[in-house]
Amino acid sequence: MASFDLIFLGGGPAGYTGAIRAAQLGLNTAIIDKREVLGGTCLNIGCIPSKALLVSSDHVHFAHHQAARHGLKFEQIAVDLNQMMKRKEEVVRQLTQGLEFLMKKNKITRLSGVGQVVGPGKVILTKKDGSQEELQAKHVVLATGSVPAELPEIVIDREVVVTSDEALSFDKVPADLLVIGAGAIGLELGSVWSRLGSNVTVIEFLPRIAATFDPDLTQALQKGLEAEGLNFHLDTSVTGVRVDQGRASVEAVSKGRQKLAFAADKVLVAVGRRPFFDNAVAKDLGLKVTDRGRVATDSLYRTSVPGLYAIGDIIDGPMLAHKGEDEGVACIERIAGKAGHVNYEAIPNVIYTNPEVAGAGLTEELAKQNGIPIRVGKFPFAANGRALANDQSQGFAKILADPKTDKLLGAQIIGFGASELIAEAVTVLEFGGSAEDLGRTVHAHPTMSEALKEAALGVHNQAFSIPPR
Ligand SMILES: Cc1cc2nc3c(=O)[nH]c(=O)nc-3n(C[C@H](O)[C@H](O)[C@H](O)COP(=O)(O)OP(=O)(O)OC[C@H]3O[C@@H](n4cnc5c(N)ncnc54)[C@H](O)[C@@H]3O)c2cc1C
C-alpha cells in the first residue's frame, strides 16, 4: 500500500498550492484529481478561460466602438470564434501543463482518478479503468471544490439551458442570451457574448447587480454594462424555463408581481456555486457540515474526522481561487507546526467586466449596517492623467478609513485596471497601514495607481487633483 505524509483530494488552486507548500516543507505528498489535468475549476473551466475570452471580446469591442477615436479605421471586423476558442484552450493547456511540470519538479506524486476517504488517513483511489488502490497518509486534505448551483424549478440540459461550463465554449454566438444571476460569473460571461454580438438580458433576484459591492459602484457598473449593450431586470425572479425546438421560453416575475416573458437561444444559469464533496468521504465517518452545506472546520482547517482537513470552495468564505490557495498554504504550515494564517479581512474580490470592479475589506454599506464609524475618500479617474491618456476616464477609487486612528478599513475601485490596482490597498490592509501611509507613498506618474493615492489623501480632504470638498 502506497503511503504518504499527505494526500490532497482535489487538484484545484487550493489543492495544488497546498501540495507545493507541503513539498517545500519536505513532506512526502500526493495529489489526486479525477480530471485528466490539474488546475481544477479555476484553470480548466473558470478564472482563466473566462479571462481569456474577456480579453479577446474586449478587443472586438475596442475595434467596433473605440478604435475610431484613436484614429484607427478597420475596413472590416470579423470574429473567428473558432480561433478565439483555440487561443483560450492554448492558455489553459499552457497553465495546466505547467502545473504537471511543477508537481514533477517538487516530487509530488500525481494520481488520477476519483478519491474517497474511507477512514482516518485512508483513501481509496478508483482509476479510470475501474481498478482501485488503497492509499495511506498521516494527513488527508479535502479540496474538492465546487460545481455550478442549480435552481429547483429549472432543468439544465447543457444544450439550451446551460451553466458556465458550457457558456465558456459555445460554438456560435447565440442571438439571444438570457443570464440568470448578476454576480461575477453571470456578468463576465454576459459581457463576453454581448461584445461578440449576442443580445444579452440579465435577470437578477436582488435589487442591484454585484451586490457585494457598495451601491455607488454597482450603479456605475450597471451603467457601464448597459452602455456595452447588456439589459437588466432587477428585483425579478425566474419562475420557469421551457425548451422547445432549441429555443427557450423564460417566465419571470418582478417584485411588483408583474409577469415577464423572454425568448432566448441560450439560458445561462449563473446563480452561484455549490460546494462539492459528494462521495469524497465515506458516510459512516460522519463528516460534519455547516448549515450552509459547507464542510465544517476549525481555525486550523481540521474537520470532524481525525486527520482530515478541508480547504477552498468546500469550506466557509468567498468561493475564490486566491482564498483557496492561501488556505492551502496556511493549512499545511499548521500541520507542519508553523504559524500559517489567512487574513479573511483582506481578501480581494474582483469582477473582470468593463468597467472592472474590485474591492477588499469593509464596504461603506456594511459599515453603516454595523454602526462602524468611517471616513471616506473618493477620487474620480476623470481627474487622473493616465486614465485620460488611456481613454479610460470612467470610474473612481474609494478608500475607507477609521476616523480616529486613520487605519485603512477598506477599498473599492471601479474602472480600468481595478483588478491590478486593488493589490496595493490589500497590502496596506494586510500591514494594518493608514490612509495617510497610502497617501504619502510615492506613486509613479502618470499611473492609474495615483487615483488610489489621491483617494487616500481625500480621506483628509487633501487630494491634489480635485477641488476640496
Ligand atoms: C466561470 C468562472 C469564473 C471564475 N473566475 C474566478 C476569478 O476570476 N477569480 C477567482 O478567484 N475565482 C474565480 N472562480 C472561482 C474559482 O474557480 C474557484 O473559487 C476555485 O477554483 C476553487 O478552488 P478549489 O481548489 O477549492 O476547487 P476547484 O478548483 O473546484 O478544484 C477541485 C478539484 O477537485 C476535483 N475533485 C472533486 N472531487 C474529487 C474526488 N472525489 N476525487 C478526485 N478529485 C476530485 C475536481 O475535479 C476539481 O478539479 C471562477 C469560477 C467560474 C466557474
Side-chain angles (χ1 to χ4, degrees), residues 5 20 67 132 157 174 205 221 312 326-327 379 427:
D5 292 324
I20 292 172
Q132 290 195 321
D157 62 12
F205 169 76
L221 175 63
D326 278 36
E327 286 176 346
F379 187 83
T427 306

Side-chain angles (χ1 to χ4, degrees), residues 56-223:
S56 296
S57 59
D58 196 46
H59 292 327
V60 175
H61 189 264
F62 176 83
H64 278 294
H65 303 283
Q66 285 155 302
R69 266 173 65 75
H70 294 264
L72 293 171
K73 284 188 188 148
F74 297 107
E75 293 285 301
Q76 200 195 358
I77 303 160
V79 172
D80 180 347
L81 187 60
N82 198 25
Q83 170 56 27
M84 199 179 280
M85 291 294 169
K86 262 198 205 149
R87 191 195 80 90
K88 174 205 75 174
E89 278 146 27
E90 178 54 24
V91 173
V92 169
R93 199 188 58 79
Q94 229 173 305
L95 283 167
T96 52
Q97 286 198 348
L99 268 182
E100 301 293 342
F101 172 77
L102 284 175
M103 294 300 124
K104 247 189 224 138
K105 288 292 174 193
N106 280 290
K107 301 190 172 55
I108 295 165
T109 304
R110 166 82 172 89
L111 300 163
S112 282
V114 177
Q116 188 186 38
V117 182
V118 293
K122 270 202 186 128
V123 175
I124 298 279
L125 171 67
T126 306
K127 297 180 194 162
K128 219 176 165 188
D129 62 7
S131 65
Q132 290 195 321
E133 192 182 338
E134 195 174 319
L135 312 165
Q136 212 164 22
K138 289 187 196 127
H139 313 277
V140 177
V141 184
L142 210 58
T144 47
S146 62
V147 290
E150 297 184 15
L151 292 169
E153 63 275 20
I154 297 174
V155 178
I156 293 175
D157 62 12
R158 296 192 177 264
E159 282 290 329
V160 177
V161 185
V162 303
T163 70
S164 58
D165 298 359
E166 296 78 35
L168 286 164
S169 301
F170 290 154
D171 56 7
K172 66 175 201 263
V173 178
D176 297 297
L177 169 67
L178 189 114
V179 180
I180 306 175
I185 294 174
L187 295 178
E188 289 182 9
L189 291 175
S191 295
V192 165
W193 293 108
S194 165
R195 293 168 190 170
L196 296 179
S198 290
N199 170 32
V200 176
T201 302
V202 183
I203 298 185
E204 168 59 52
F205 169 76
L206 293 172
R208 67 179 207 257
I209 66 170
T212 51
F213 292 90
D214 272 333
D216 50 351
L217 275 96
T218 59
Q219 276 159 19
L221 175 63
Q222 186 175 334
K223 226 171 119 192

